[in-house]
Amino acid sequence: MAPKKPEQKKEPVKVSPEPVKDSPEPELANEPNFDPHIIKIDFTVDQIEEFKEAFQLFDRTLQNQMKVSFSQCGDVMRALGQNPTNTEVLRVLGRPKPEDMDSKLVDFETFLPMLQHVAHSKDQGTYEDFVEGLRVFDKEGNGTVMGAELRHVLVTLGERMTEAEVDKLLAGQEDPNGCINYEAFVKHILSG
Amino acid sequence: MVLLFFFALLHNCDLLYYICCVSFPLFALLHAAVTTLRAAVLIQRWYRQYVARTETRRRYTWHIFQSIEYSGEQAQIKLYNFLGYLMDNFTPSSNERNLISHIFRENEVCRDAEWERYFCYKNIEVPEIYSGPHLTFPLTVEQTVGLVEAFRNKKQLHSRYVLQLLLETWKQLRMLPNINRISTCQSKEITICGDLHGQLEDLLLIFYKNGMPCLEKPYVFNGDFVDRGKDSIEILIILFSFLLVYPSDVYLNRGNHEDHIVNLRYGFTKEVLTKYKMHGKRILKLLQKIFSWLPLATVIDQKVLVLHGGISDVTDLSILARLDRHNYVSALRPPKKRHKSSAGMSIDSEMDEDILAANKLCQRRISLAYPKAFGERESFQNRSLQDFSDRIKGNAVDELESRMRKQSIYNSGTISSEKNITASVSSDSINSDNPNDEWKQVLDLLWSDPMPQDGCTPNEVRGGGCYWGPDITEDFLNKHNLQLIIRSHECKQDGYEFCHNRKVLTLFSASNYYDVGSNRGAYVKLGPDLVPYLIQYQASSMTRELTVRQSVGRTERSALKVLREQLFAHKSDLVCAFKKFDSENTGLVSVTDWATAVESVMFLGLPWRMLRCQLVTSKIIDGMIDYNEWFSELNIKGSNTDHIDQSLLETLYRHRSTLETIFRIVDTDNSGFITIEDFRQTWKLLSVYLKMEITDEAISDLAVTIDSNQDGSIDIDEFMEAFRLTDKKSRLERGRSMFMGTASDLTKLEGDPNI
């Protein structure tokens, strides 16, 4: 077991992030740009009113101009129960330049089709998906993973998190040996 | 190594699967890699959603606390306006008028000698068993540091020393100008602190992190030292002591809470009377004078203006510099009439009943009179203090007096800049002589808030001062050749916030203000480069142990609790509003209608739909809410309240703070008791204010609840306790913190007979 571990650990480090990021959804690169006009809104009026409230909560302009910055769009969608990746968010925003993220604003009418599109997306992630994924790290097959390894993966793979974010996520989950019972962990994070 | 290769190929699925088909064992490894990646992305995605949701909860929790806080302030001012109205419109002999007249009466004693006699501490004995600090004057640094330590160890300063200290402070403050001007020369960094609100822990934390005030470490404290927290008097004692010991290194600006009217509602009055049973009243009286003598603002290096609330479109530093700030014992009412002694020093003049009667006409004109009878709620809101200053006309007597006042400033040798002297010499300045223009200057300074849009509008949320915009800031800074305004007055999540293109900095130094974990506090250091350097902190060891999720959750729960109480207290109005949407009387309303109705009654501007699932736990069928069921869910019963009329009970809950404030006003000797008769009168007052019918019988029922010993007097505290809604005292209502061990601290002191 011991010799195998370092080898497995090594490869995530060496891989360049670019190709890896796109790999879970390789179809992304080939799809046309997001077109809000073809989106059909099937939210109810009540739902839309509720979305407006959340939108207002993040409204940068205060005094009810009802606009949020590009960089906040993802958060507003998540606040409304959606679960997009950052890539998906950037896509519905029309792949804006990094410098536009904080300065450009979006009003509610523009935001709504984006939200609808994201809501239609299929891959929401279930308990089994999480557990399956984490099981890969379960070397001893005993229902636990090493916190350190999980940290490493989250910081280096996919849509990478910062060390501080991972600390917050794993707060209180590791036992004295640094192990995490991943089924309990998944239950914890899904209870949100 | 092999896996490296396959990871690199992952972006190209075709090639990937071709190879997989060729090589089965590799496929297994690949599968693992793909799954890992998928899991990583899933977890990351989930995490980001969790963060966004937590942020949302934090935001609306904040919103709840803040809107309730501000509507409380507004209620306070409305109450005050109402009392003013009564003063003007009741005949002199009526009982109601007597009941509240003393709050509007001028200070009774006036000549210095008489004041000294009244505040004399010399015959107060300090007994042997007193274990608190002893003070000798002139105060030394060691004694001041000793005071800080003593308070850290929960000691209380004896009333003798408190009075002595306050007298010295009063003397010191009278020498100070309205606007302090200081500099960062000699490479001194100036530390500026915002609202403290009686939270001693935060002050101690600041001293710990930054060091105590001293020659090399000047401090500016920007108002609101008292109210809400439980150690307001201790904070004052510390600040005043440092002021006495380092007079050129400690600067205090007045805040809107340095005002005895506001203190009646927000806990400071109560704190002093509780901690100082024998001499509390005198201490409060002396503090009234001290508050009025607190300087209004501080200017650093002629470039940075530090003041508590803010500015308006008419704010003028030269007017502020030369007015008589001590005329404004409470910023909520216009200045009193003054008589000058031959020495040229302006002093209070004694007003016995005859003079009072003769001046009644004048008084009526300059008091906060309503032009018409009570309107609906909307016009109450519109009846801001700005309206009154417009209505008031100056007369010849005012003109003469204001000229004499300017003269006396000149003679008394108050420190003033060249600008002030030239301004006061010219007799052509018209508007600035009007005492009510001056009043507005002070009011705006203490109560205003910045807003994002341009312009200047009355601050109707608070009921006093203005909302001012970035254009006003720009004009003001240019006019006075300044570069930055540092103000406080508003609680901020991070302890501070820049606005108006970083030209205005809001600084708030009371951490965990709304609840444990609600916000950080901050202070600013300003060096010769005048670039603000901000330090944040959060008091209470409890906070560090809670994770972010726990502290947001906790704050959220307490905000929702407060909100539920408010909703319950407005039950009648809400039922009316619901019935408007429920014409067929089914008892059901749609979610949308529910939200609209609630907002139309509560006026809090909250995201009701988002909050609905937390506020309405009963099932929603077909998108309809059963509002009767909802009320029974909200229903909170007090212990002995079954015999009391429901609507009266509701009034009690809704207007608790107002009621308590009125009681304390009525309790003229601050004994904590009022007679049954006064109790009855108070309720009559309240019924007029609320436009409600309250029968004598109903009032008797209330009285019976409390007057257990049947001696004809009501214990105010007991009465308020009986109608308390929650077990934990709401911070917003009672001016005490929820988690800082309040009750036990007070019992410790109450047992001490020597204070």
Side-chain angles (χ1 to χ4, degrees):
Chain A
M1 292 304 172
K4 228 178 161 191
K5 244 197 225 176
E7 202 191 298
Q8 253 198 320
K9 244 192 188 167
K10 237 195 273 167
E11 17 91 3
V13 180
K14 291 190 186 161
V15 166
S16 68
E18 279 309 301
V20 169
K21 211 200 274 193
D22 287 344
S23 60
E25 298 145 324
E27 66 272 22
L28 212 64
N30 301 328
E31 268 198 34
N33 283 332
F34 174 69
D35 182 3
H37 301 292
I38 62 171
I39 303 287
K40 179 177 161 292
I41 306 287
D42 34 51
F43 295 125
T44 65
V45 171
D46 273 343
Q47 282 176 309
I48 293 180
E49 288 304 307
E50 192 167 337
F51 298 159
K52 277 191 187 157
E53 277 185 348
F55 199 78
Q56 206 144 341
L57 220 47
F58 284 85
D59 183 354
R60 268 281 157 74
T61 64
L62 303 170
Q63 278 347 90
N64 298 339
Q65 266 189 57
M66 286 284 273
K67 289 193 179 145
V68 301
S69 68
F70 274 27
S71 53
Q72 289 176 298
C73 279
D75 285 339
V76 184
M77 289 183 199
R78 290 170 183 125
L80 291 172
Q82 302 307 321
N83 211 353
T85 62
N86 284 344
T87 316
E88 281 171 348
V89 174
L90 288 173
R91 193 173 150 260
V92 296
L93 283 172
R95 294 186 225 275
K97 299 195 270 287
E99 55 266 21
D100 286 341
M101 290 301 283
D102 273 326
S103 52
K104 278 203 173 168
L105 300 177
V106 146
D107 64 16
F108 187 74
E109 284 66 41
T110 318
F111 173 77
L112 199 54
M114 296 181 194
L115 182 67
Q116 182 73 81
H117 177 80
V118 165
H120 282 153
S121 126
K122 6 100 198 169
D123 192 1
Q124 292 292 319
T126 63
Y127 175 80
E128 284 71 30
D129 288 328
F130 280 107
V131 172
E132 271 309 304
L134 286 168
R135 194 159 285 149
V136 171
F137 297 97
D138 186 359
K139 306 303 179 312
E140 288 153 40
N142 58 2
T144 66
V145 294
M146 289 296 291
E149 230 184 298
L150 189 54
R151 253 172 228 277
H152 205 73
V153 168
L154 292 174
V155 165
T156 50
L157 289 189
E159 300 203 325
R160 296 181 288 180
M161 288 162 67
T162 64
E163 299 267 0
E165 287 176 325
V166 179
D167 282 339
K168 284 208 191 111
L169 176 62
L170 297 181
Q173 294 296 313
E174 288 169 282
D175 69 15
N177 297 326
C179 295
I180 300 177
N181 175 323
Y182 55 85
E183 286 197 37
F185 175 62
V186 174
K187 285 209 178 83
H188 157 74
I189 62 180
L190 284 179
S191 68
Chain B
M1 273 310 289
V2 170
L3 283 156
L4 234 187
F5 173 64
F6 282 104
F7 262 107
L9 284 178
L10 274 173
H11 69 283
N12 188 334
C13 278
D14 295 332
L15 180 56
L16 179 67
Y17 279 100
Y18 174 79
I19 295 171
C20 290
C21 294
V22 166
S23 172
F24 183 73
L26 287 173
F27 178 72
L29 273 165
L30 222 52
H31 175 73
V34 170
T35 323
T36 306
L37 222 60
R38 193 169 289 155
V41 172
L42 212 50
I43 294 173
Q44 288 155 345
R45 226 163 70 174
W46 172 86
Y47 176 76
R48 293 192 170 101
Q49 187 198 49
Y50 162 71
V51 166
R53 291 192 129 148
T54 306
E55 175 62 15
T56 310
R57 284 160 68 202
R58 195 198 56 71
R59 282 185 188 224
Y60 68 60
T61 301
W62 189 263
H63 206 157
I64 292 174
F65 275 128
Q66 201 163 58
S67 53
I68 293 181
E69 173 183 6
Y70 291 166
S71 77
E73 278 183 351
Q74 194 191 103
Q76 171 70 353
I77 294 187
K78 281 190 209 166
L79 170 68
Y80 194 72
N81 291 354
F82 164 71
L83 294 174
Y85 170 83
L86 288 180
M87 286 294 296
D88 282 350
N89 291 282
F90 283 150
T91 57
S93 59
S94 81
N95 291 334
E96 287 95 336
R97 191 182 190 280
N98 288 340
L99 222 49
I100 52 172
S101 66
H102 85 279
I103 201 178
F104 290 98
R105 205 195 312 243
E106 312 300 340
N107 284 324
E108 297 90 14
V109 187
C110 315
R111 301 203 164 65
D112 284 355
E114 294 196 46
W115 277 124
E116 266 177 51
R117 239 183 295 138
Y118 181 69
F119 291 131
C120 189
Y121 57 89
K122 292 190 177 131
N123 49 8
I124 304 177
E125 265 188 48
V126 180
E128 293 265 332
I129 60 172
Y130 167 70
S131 61
H134 294 265
L135 296 182
T136 58
F137 287 81
L139 217 52
T140 63
V141 178
E142 288 76 19
Q143 288 189 79
T144 308
V145 173
L147 273 173
V148 175
E149 270 315 297
F151 292 150
R152 191 199 302 273
N153 296 319
K154 317 258 192 251
K155 299 277 186 206
Q156 187 173 303
L157 185 65
H158 197 278
S159 46
R160 180 202 170 97
Y161 300 129
V162 174
L163 281 168
Q164 203 172 357
L165 176 69
L166 292 181
L167 279 169
E168 292 301 309
T169 307
W170 183 32
K171 280 190 222 160
Q172 176 72 23
L173 287 175
R174 277 148 77 182
M175 301 196 297
L176 296 178
N178 294 350
I179 301 181
N180 287 312
R181 289 175 186 275
I182 58 182
S183 83
T184 59
C185 65
Q186 298 151 30
S187 308
K188 278 198 224 175
E189 265 188 330
I190 301 181
T191 308
I192 305 160
C193 297
D195 293 20
L196 288 166
H197 280 301
Q199 297 189 193
L200 183 60
E201 260 203 51
D202 285 293
L203 185 59
L204 294 178
L205 190 50
I206 295 173
F207 285 167
Y208 176 72
K209 289 171 81 76
N210 195 51
M212 295 197 217
C214 63
L215 290 175
E216 295 315 305
K217 199 159 295 211
Y219 270 79
V220 178
F221 292 95
N222 202 13
D224 277 11
F225 318 122
V226 303
D227 277 336
R228 296 210 169 96
K230 65 177 176 68
D231 297 311
S232 300
I233 189 71
E234 279 75 24
I235 289 195
L236 285 182
I237 293 170
I238 292 176
L239 294 183
F240 292 158
S241 302
F242 276 113
L243 175 72
L244 291 175
V245 173
Y246 293 113
S248 31
D249 296 288
V250 173
Y251 297 92
L252 305 178
N253 290 341
R254 189 176 184 184
N256 63 309
H257 279 261
E258 274 68 59
D259 182 328
H260 69 286
I261 309 278
V262 179
N263 297 152
L264 275 169
R265 187 190 186 102
Y266 287 102
F268 181 51
T269 307
K270 184 165 184 177
E271 179 190 326
V272 173
L273 294 176
T274 310
K275 287 179 177 172
Y276 294 99
K277 291 191 173 0
M278 274 189 69
H279 302 286
K281 198 178 164 199
R282 278 200 282 166
I283 292 174
L284 285 170
K285 200 73 181 179
L286 188 42
L287 278 169
Q288 265 186 44
K289 307 187 82 51
I290 287 177
F291 285 166
S292 72
W293 275 106
L294 283 170
L296 297 172
T298 302
V299 176
I300 302 175
D301 285 352
Q302 300 177 64
K303 285 286 167 200
V304 177
L305 175 64
V306 187
L307 39 62
H308 177 74
I311 59 173
S312 70
D313 50 352
V314 300
T315 300
D316 185 336
L317 288 183
S318 52
I319 300 179
L320 282 166
R322 65 165 191 268
L323 52 77
D324 279 340
R325 69 181 189 271
H326 64 285
N327 278 349
Y328 304 91
V329 175
S330 164
L332 297 181
R333 70 183 178 112
K336 49 196 174 184
K337 288 266 168 217
R338 314 202 49 75
H339 299 260
K340 303 290 176 285
S341 79
S342 51
M345 276 287 285
S346 53
I347 54 169
D348 305 354
S349 60
E350 184 160 44
M351 297 230 200
D352 59 32
E353 287 303 312
D354 291 333
I355 302 175
L356 199 64
N359 278 338
K360 214 169 293 173
L361 271 167
C362 299
Q363 271 193 324
R364 228 167 254 198
R365 222 186 287 163
I366 65 170
S367 72
L368 305 174
Y370 280 97
K372 54 189 176 190
F374 302 110
E376 300 118 12
R377 187 179 184 143
E378 284 72 29
S379 63
F380 248 98
Q381 278 183 322
N382 290 335
R383 198 61 60 220
S384 70
L385 297 167
Q386 275 77 1
D387 284 0
F388 301 126
S389 42
D390 288 336
R391 301 188 161 280
I392 292 151
K393 297 171 181 34
N395 56 25
V397 177
D398 288 6
E399 263 289 340
L400 184 63
E401 282 196 0
S402 61
R403 286 232 188 95
M404 286 175 70
R405 204 179 346 203
K406 276 191 298 196
Q407 201 58 30
S408 70
I409 290 173
Y410 215 98
N411 290 343
S412 68
T414 324
I415 305 158
S416 42
S417 71
E418 278 182 16
K419 237 203 277 184
N420 293 343
I421 293 171
T422 29
S424 61
V425 162
S426 107
S427 50
D428 285 339
S429 51
I430 314 159
N431 290 335
S432 37
D433 290 342
N434 187 331
N436 297 288
D437 281 351
E438 289 186 353
W439 174 38
K440 179 171 164 43
Q441 295 280 328
V442 175
L443 201 58
D444 288 342
L445 184 146
L446 295 176
W447 283 84
S448 299
D449 289 315
M451 65 173 174
Q453 313 96 297
D454 284 345
C456 188
T457 57
N459 190 331
E460 271 161 26
V461 174
R462 297 220 199 225
C466 294
Y467 283 122
W468 89 90
D471 57 336
I472 309 285
T473 299
E474 193 65 38
D475 290 342
F476 178 82
L477 292 177
N478 287 335
K479 175 173 166 193
H480 293 96
N481 208 9
L482 300 165
Q483 71 189 42
L484 174 66
I485 299 176
I486 299 180
R487 44 90 64 174
S488 302
H489 198 39
E490 283 181 295
C491 183
K492 296 292 175 191
Q493 164 82 6
D494 292 315
Y496 74 95
E497 190 177 88
F498 281 99
C499 65
H500 293 190
N501 214 7
R502 289 186 82 90
K503 304 250 174 92
V504 174
L505 169 62
T506 301
L507 188 62
F508 198 81
S509 301
S511 67
N512 307 320
Y513 181 62
Y514 290 126
D515 197 345
V516 173
S518 68
N519 64 290
R520 295 157 101 176
Y523 58 92
V524 160
K525 295 191 77 98
L526 222 53
D529 60 359
L530 296 182
V531 172
Y533 176 60
L534 286 139
I535 297 101
Q536 297 164 298
Y537 53 85
Q538 198 153 17
S540 165
S541 53
M542 278 169 88
T543 319
R544 272 175 252 124
E545 284 154 24
L546 295 172
T547 62
V548 171
R549 169 198 235 156
Q550 283 171 316
S551 80
V552 168
R554 188 195 206 121
T555 315
E556 185 187 8
R557 272 194 297 279
S558 83
L560 289 170
K561 197 170 200 174
V562 171
L563 192 54
R564 279 193 210 101
E565 284 169 20
Q566 291 287 310
L567 288 167
F568 176 72
H570 286 80
K571 180 175 165 181
S572 311
D573 287 349
L574 285 169
V575 169
C576 276
F578 289 145
K579 287 214 152 74
K580 287 196 192 126
F581 289 102
D582 180 24
S583 47
E584 286 157 43
N585 229 350
T586 58
L588 300 172
V589 286
S590 70
V591 174
T592 306
D593 291 340
W594 174 86
T596 314
V598 171
E599 178 59 23
S600 72
V601 170
M602 304 300 291
F603 281 116
L604 290 171
L606 292 173
W608 296 107
R609 284 180 186 81
M610 289 184 78
L611 295 170
R612 181 201 39 84
C613 46
Q614 312 255 30
L615 294 173
V616 184
T617 55
S618 45
K619 279 215 166 57
I620 303 203
I621 308 166
D622 293 333
M624 304 293 278
I625 298 176
D626 181 336
Y627 53 86
N628 288 311
E629 203 185 314
W630 183 47
F631 282 121
S632 58
E633 190 187 303
L634 282 179
N635 202 27
I636 306 148
K637 278 217 173 307
S639 41
N640 290 327
T641 56
D642 290 339
H643 61 292
I644 302 205
D645 176 65
Q646 262 304 114
S647 64
L648 192 55
L649 203 58
E650 198 182 304
T651 306
L652 253 164
Y653 285 135
R654 193 195 310 199
H655 298 282
R656 275 190 79 254
S657 290
T658 303
L659 195 58
E660 184 169 355
T661 309
I662 297 183
F663 280 146
R664 293 205 183 281
I665 294 173
V666 166
D667 175 20
T668 50
D669 59 359
N670 290 321
S671 61
F673 288 87
I674 59 174
T675 64
I676 296 266
E677 192 43 44
D678 283 349
F679 180 78
R680 205 182 300 276
Q681 295 291 352
T682 308
W683 272 103
K684 288 241 160 7
L685 254 179
L686 199 59
S687 68
V688 177
Y689 177 59
L690 300 173
K691 294 171 282 159
M692 269 185 67
E693 277 281 329
I694 301 182
T695 63
D696 278 337
E697 206 191 318
I699 298 176
S700 299
D701 283 344
L702 279 175
V704 154
T705 309
I706 302 310
D707 186 17
S708 43
N709 47 3
Q710 307 290 335
D711 64 351
S713 68
I714 308 256
D715 181 329
I716 301 177
D717 277 329
E718 245 188 275
F719 181 78
M720 300 315 300
E721 285 297 305
F723 296 100
R724 201 153 45 87
L725 277 170
T726 49
D727 289 337
K728 289 200 197 122
K729 295 169 192 192
S730 160
R731 164 182 266 277
L732 290 165
E733 295 248 323
R734 289 310 212 94
R736 295 185 194 170
S737 68
M738 280 175 76
F739 297 98
M740 308 296 183
T742 315
S744 53
D745 283 349
L746 277 182
T747 359
K748 231 183 278 175
L749 297 166
E750 270 162 13
D752 190 334
N754 309 300
I755 296 174

